[in-house]
Amino acid sequence: MFKSLGPKTIIYPAPVLIVGTYDKTGRPNVMTVAWGGISCSDPPCVNISIRKTRLTYENILEHRVFTVNIPSKDFAAEADYFGMVSGKKGDKIAAAGLTPVRSSLIYAPYLKEFPFFLECRLLNSCELGVHTLFIGEILDLKAEESLVEDGCPSFVKTAPLLYAPGQQGYYAPGEFLGRAFSLGKK
């Protein structure tokens, strides 16, 4: 029997995405986003939802580009911190002891310590209520070379940080169950 829980913002797992931008003065900033994911394959696009009160919101509208950094499980504390503290109040990246690097493709920073990142150009946005949905065209994906297998970052080696909104908990991936587009043939 199913129990109705009402409308809730829960899909498991939610990716933990660290969005990188520069502010109006050229200072790098990052923000943790749990409301996001892939939204189109051609052109390749990612979506992120951000409140208007956030510095990242202003930065994306100002420069129309951003990075989406994928933290490994080893950076759970830093990712949580980036979502708790406003970039308007100081340099979160320096406080976390991480290294911002300017993307060679767009005017946005990525974090050197994270396994991979997407370089995105703002394609569209949509006001949804308290959040604005930003759709970024993925111009490139750059990954730490040692993690690349078959032309993609290895899910297992990357060990991406995952979020469970219902429990407000962070997790890492578990066991492999089978290949997509194959497992269902059984």
Side-chain angles (χ1 to χ4, degrees):
M1 175 178 238
F2 286 89
K3 178 180 179 178
S4 174
L5 301 175
K8 294 192 178 287
T9 53
I10 298 175
I11 292 180
Y12 292 134
V16 176
L17 308 173
I18 307 299
V19 177
T21 58
Y22 285 113
D23 69 12
K24 289 180 181 181
T25 68
R27 185 174 57 97
N29 183 60
V30 292
M31 172 190 171
T32 303
V33 172
W35 303 157
I38 297 298
S39 52
C40 188
S41 53
D42 189 15
C45 293
V46 64
N47 65 75
I48 54 174
S49 291
I50 300 174
R51 290 178 183 249
K52 290 180 183 181
T53 58
R54 305 298 190 238
L55 178 59
T56 299
Y57 174 92
E58 296 171 21
N59 295 348
I60 290 173
L61 291 180
E62 174 78 18
H63 300 293
R64 306 193 62 78
V65 291
F66 56 93
T67 60
V68 176
N69 300 261
I70 308 301
S72 69
K73 65 180 183 176
D74 298 332
F75 293 95
E78 292 83 351
D80 195 43
Y81 173 73
F82 293 151
M84 295 168 43
V85 177
S86 173
K88 294 176 182 178
K89 296 181 180 177
D91 187 342
K92 296 191 277 186
I93 301 170
L98 298 180
T99 313
V101 179
R102 182 175 174 182
S103 160
S104 60
L105 187 60
I106 60 171
Y107 183 65
Y110 65 91
L111 294 174
K112 179 181 174 184
E113 293 81 3
F114 288 4
F116 72 94
F117 65 96
L118 308 171
E119 295 164 300
C120 304
R121 172 180 54 217
L122 182 62
L123 192 62
N124 210 334
S125 64
C126 176
E127 303 293 326
L128 297 175
V130 297
H131 285 83
T132 297
L133 177 72
F134 290 107
I135 300 170
E137 181 179 1
I138 301 167
L139 303 176
D140 199 9
L141 181 157
K142 291 189 171 77
E144 176 58 45
E145 213 171 331
S146 64
L147 302 175
V148 177
E149 291 179 356
D150 301 321
C152 291
S154 164
F155 183 74
V156 172
K157 288 181 181 178
T158 299
L161 184 61
L162 305 171
Y163 179 63
Q167 288 74 40
Q168 295 185 338
Y170 294 105
Y171 295 87
E175 82 181 279
F176 175 71
L177 301 176
R179 294 221 173 272
F181 309 107
S182 176
L183 194 61
K185 290 180 181 178
K186 294 179 184 176

